[in-house]
Each structure stands twice: as C-alpha cells, then as structure tokens.
Amino acid sequence: MNNPDTPLDLTLDGGALTARLVDFPSVSGDEQALADAVETALRAYPHLTVDRYGNNVVARTELGRAERVLIAGHLDTVPIADNLPSYVEGDLLYGCGTSDMKSGVAVQLRLAATLPEPNRDLTFVFYDCEEIEASRNGLGHLAAQHPEWLAADFAVLMEPSGAMVEGGCQGTLRVQVTLTGTRAHSARSWLGDNAIHHAAEVLGRLAAYEPRRVEIDGLEYREGLNAVRIDGGVAGNVIPDECVVTVNFRYAPDRSEAEAAAHVREVFAGYDVVVTDSAPGALPGLGQPAAQAFLAATGGQARAKFGWTDVARFSALGVPAVNYGPGDPNLAHKREEHCSLSAIAEVEERMRAWLTGA
C-alpha cells in the first residue's frame, strides 16, 4: 500500500492516479488525510482557487466564461473488505473504491490539473461522508453553509455509471404501514385478533400495484412500490397485536416528495401510514445547452438513473445535473470491486473534449 504521506501526483495517468487514491484508505468519517492530500495537490496549480470546509475541498477557475460547470465526487468509501491494496489484472484495477468512486475522483483531479484554459469555467467539488447517513453528507454541508461555492449552470456527478450518462435520479420514500390487533395466548387464539394476518391485504395491494413508467427529457423512469421489511410478533405462544410493514417507493422525478407521500397514502387508504424517510428525485435537465454539449461529447445517449444520488442536491439548488463516471454501479460496495482502466481513460478523454472543444 502506498504511503499516505506521499503527495498526490496529478500528472499520473488516470488509472495510476486511481490506484494511488484507492491505496489511500478513506472510509466514511476518516477522509481527513485524503482531503489534506487533495487540497495540497490542487493548491499547486495557480489557475485554481481552492477553498475548504471541513473535509470538503472546492477548486474553481475564474476565467469569466459564459457558463460554469460543476464536477463533483465523494472521497469516502464503504468499509474495506480485505480488498486493499489495489492490484491490476489485464484491463481491470481491483480494490475498495475503484468503481465507487475513486476512478471518477481521479478523472476530476486530472481535469483540474491539466485544463488551465477550459471553454467553460469549472468548479471541482470533493466531499466526504456520502456513503453514510445523509446528515453527515459533505455536499449537504456545503449546500447549507457555502451555497455560493456550488453555483453553476450544469453539474456532473461522477458516480459510477458504466461510462454512460444517467440523467437525474429517482426519489425515494419509506413508510411504515401499521396493522393492529388484540393480543392473546396462541392456545386460545379466538380470544385475540392476529395483526400479522391483517398484513395480507397490505401485501395484496402491493402485489396488485401497477407502477408507472414516465418519460422525461426522452428518458424513461420506472417506478416501484415494494415491501422491504415486516416486523411483528411477541413470542412463539402469543397472538401478535401489532405488525408493521415497511414499504419503499422509488418514484420518477416529476413527483415532489409531498406528491409521492400522498400517492402512497392513497394506495394504503384506511391504514396508519407514517413516512420514516424521504429524499426528492432530480429532473435530468437535458435541454440545457451545457447538457446538450455534454451529451454530444459523450456519445449522444443517456438513460434514466435508477436509484437516488446527490444530483438531487444540485436539483434542489436549481442546478441541472447528470451522473457520469467510469465505474460500474453493479460492482459498487462488492468485495471484488474493480474498474476498467480503459473506461477511466475514455471518460477523461470525452470530458476533456467537451471542456476544450477539441
């Protein structure tokens, strides 16, 4: 494993720089050393203005261009699973964070260091604590404390997307549907009312539910309403008086959080429904000029993002955003996590062409 005290060399090619970042452990909550290294490396470039808040580093060009593009990536990873140090087999780089998302961060750093005269002003955001609870998310802290640092016409979040543009993201809502009954001894069950049995109708409504497919900016978003947990029962000889079904609603970004919650309550009309977690979706904003130019530079195709990402935070700030990174989202958080070296080079080349007009 590389020595964390060794300065980051941003002249390395994207694959080598990714390996260097991967060998720099930064599990969520322990990003300070990597944030220090990123800040030090970026301050060596006079064309960048560098600011820091906590373990979040922001670097900007100030060239007076007509548009500003923000490129963001998180520094943290999930806990290491015996998958450090990194190693290479053929075209694949293995190690914790290779796909999610130090390959994307490497591309960010390469672009920040090597594009002193881009055709758009650039803001590079490196933030902490993305992989854990939302209250600790560094991008959220920046949005609350320094929203001016995040001002832009368009944003690219370099989350793993298989080197394909993924527009916007779904919203997510979790609710608890509570069923009640009457407790009794299971030997005299006729004296009670089994709350777990009442869950049958809730599950039936879910099984019969027909999710929407919604087209936005030419992208098809698929919704889903699913039970993800059932809790109930007191003991093996007791008729339960309560059962709670936890339901997750993944919804298209044309719905607001309030509309999503109202829809779920309508589906479960007659039941006690409590929202326990909610995060809005993000519209893709592919009609923006910067987005159109980005699509052209990256192959002209996009797909809907299935899942929630921090593009929703940019959407809340009025900044249209897409997900685009070299990592494979299906490999994120896996013990065998890896990333294609050729995909890292391809993503950097495409973004460089977009930002230089080459």
Side-chain angles (χ1 to χ4, degrees), residues 131-298:
E131 299 287 6
I132 51 177
E133 58 268 30
S135 62
R136 295 177 63 184
N137 185 293
L139 192 61
H141 294 167
L142 288 175
Q145 300 299 322
H146 293 285
E148 71 280 5
W149 292 0
L150 304 181
D153 299 292
F154 181 63
V156 179
L157 182 63
M158 301 205 68
E159 283 280 2
S161 69
M164 186 169 181
V165 176
E166 294 185 326
C169 72
Q170 294 170 304
T172 181
L173 179 80
R174 271 188 293 277
V175 304
Q176 290 184 336
V177 183
T178 299
L179 301 313
T180 58
T182 302
R183 188 180 297 198
H185 196 296
S186 61
R188 293 173 290 280
S189 59
W190 60 89
L191 298 178
D193 180 20
N194 196 312
I196 291 178
H197 292 182
H198 293 323
E201 184 181 344
V202 170
L203 298 178
R205 293 188 190 186
L206 287 169
Y209 182 79
E210 295 185 5
R212 291 193 311 160
R213 294 190 179 194
V214 184
E215 185 171 303
I216 305 171
D217 284 356
L219 308 182
E220 184 182 68
Y221 292 86
R222 299 180 63 174
E223 296 189 329
L225 186 67
N226 292 280
V228 293
R229 183 183 176 97
I230 297 180
D231 296 284
V234 179
N237 59 353
V238 177
I239 299 300
D241 58 355
E242 183 177 274
C243 177
V244 178
V245 181
T246 301
V247 176
N248 183 211
F249 184 35
R250 296 290 177 144
Y251 58 92
D254 63 336
R255 296 189 197 260
S256 68
E257 288 180 274
E259 289 168 341
H263 175 68
V264 172
R265 288 194 170 97
E266 181 181 358
V267 171
F268 297 113
Y271 289 98
D272 178 22
V273 177
V274 176
V275 175
T276 60
D277 186 50
S278 179
L283 293 166
L286 296 181
Q288 296 289 329
Q292 288 293 308
F294 180 67
L295 274 177
T298 54

